[in-house]
Amino acid sequence: MTLKYLPEPFRIKVVEPIRLIPFEERKKALQNSGYNIFALKAKHVFIDLLTDSGTGAMSSHQWAAIMEGDESYAGANSYLRLADAVEKVFGFHLFVPTHQGRASENILSAILVKPGDFVPSNMHFDTTDANIRARGGRPTNLVIDDAFDPKNHHPFKGNMDLAKLKAFILETGVEKIPLGMITVTNNAGGGQPVSMENIRAVADLYHSFGIPFYIDAARYAENCYFIKLREPGYQDKSTLEIAREMFSYANGFCMSAKKDAIVNIGGLLATKDDKTFQKIKNELILREGFPTYGGLAGRDLDALAVGLYEGLDEDYLQYRINQTAYLASRLMDAGIPIIEPPGGHAIFIDAGTLLPHIPHHEFPGQSLTNELYLAGGIRGCEIGSVMFAVPNPATGEIIYPKLEMVRLAIPRRVYTQSHFDYVADTIIEIAKKADTLRGYKITYAPELLRHFTARFEPL
Ligand code: F0G
């Protein structure tokens, strides 16, 4: 018998009840939230696809490891177990735990970035972008152009454009580039992977100019699995071997462990440079905690040590990538425009194309996000003009992003295939009456990161 997909490689030992509240209550909840799904109470959400970060289900092994947590302030056994896993998975022995990814980014920016510096990457995630800016630096995105075409099936749409990177370094001058980065997978560009060939070439280029190379490793395991599936020469390598090779090219990495390490909280920051490590520890002690626990409890370190391996488990990764691909294929079969091919952790619906009658300034992504909640109690997230439209500082004219998207991020090991059939059916029903959806106007918005707290009214 050939199966189209592997069923979930786990069975369910603990359940968390969820409930679809009636339509009239969803309407009221959305109105009370100012038509912003960030202000909804989680208990009013049926299927929560707001993020895949910290929302995964830990395994029985991780929960068992939590009971072994050693809460000693310094040198705890939990730290030693984490150090062993970090060494085996990434090949790094100089590292600190942090409470989450942005804490690692803050420390890295604090010690390396000066005002006027530049930090290139394929695409920076928004917290990395903001942490570099907070130190007066300028994050620069140099992903290949294919990344911006939703129908382009490049197998590694997260790749850095090497010609652009080289030209950028020559133009900017190495003295203004304290570090270079790459994000695997490229979240801001649709969760698209980066090839090993590209990582190697990026590392070589940075190193030829003497620039240290740091990986944003939030979704390292999904990226490794895509390399195994798609890159010639890697089919017979294990994802662990692929991870070891990938990180061997880097001088360091920062990581949110809330994604591929399948923990609810945690992060890592690692380097190969002794002096940088000394500075990292000093900064960590100031803001997060002693270097053997970072901002975490001992038990969190143990869950993370186990999660680093579980994230790389190939049965799990096959299920994970297929689950995302399954939802994508149901939507594509019904003609719903999404970013193709689907990435690892999320589906990005092209709301601008689905709702062509709603202009940028009336927020098509917001309209679709809110309709998803009204129609099915599903929480996705607008990634379009609400999040990214900014006034041109010179003219005041609004610059709109290229794509108006809605992200459906998939928590790890949380929802089953029937949940995804329900999500797909709901979206297909919405698409049938797409021309009846209306835009929104903003009634309140703060100046920075407005999507989190803005309020809206339907037009
Ligand atoms: N880097 C990437 C690529 C991310 O996707 C995130 C978080 C971070 C860094 C920051 O990590 O949240 O632990 O501080 N992404 C989440 C998301 C929030 O929903 O995509 P953090």
Side-chain angles (χ1 to χ4, degrees), residues 51-53 100-102 105 125 127-128 183 187 216 218-219 256 258-259 407:
T51 178
D52 64 320
S53 180
Q100 62 182 76
R102 67 199 70 181
E105 295 155 13
F125 180 66
T127 57
T128 326
T183 311
N187 182 9
D216 176 342
R219 296 178 182 84
S256 166
K258 298 169 70 174
K259 285 83 170 170
R407 185 182 81 167

Side-chain angles (χ1 to χ4, degrees), residues 70-87:
D70 172 355
E71 305 302 340
S72 304
Y73 188 92
N77 286 321
S78 302
Y79 169 77
L80 299 179
R81 287 188 282 266
L82 177 62
D84 187 59
V86 169
E87 170 84 51

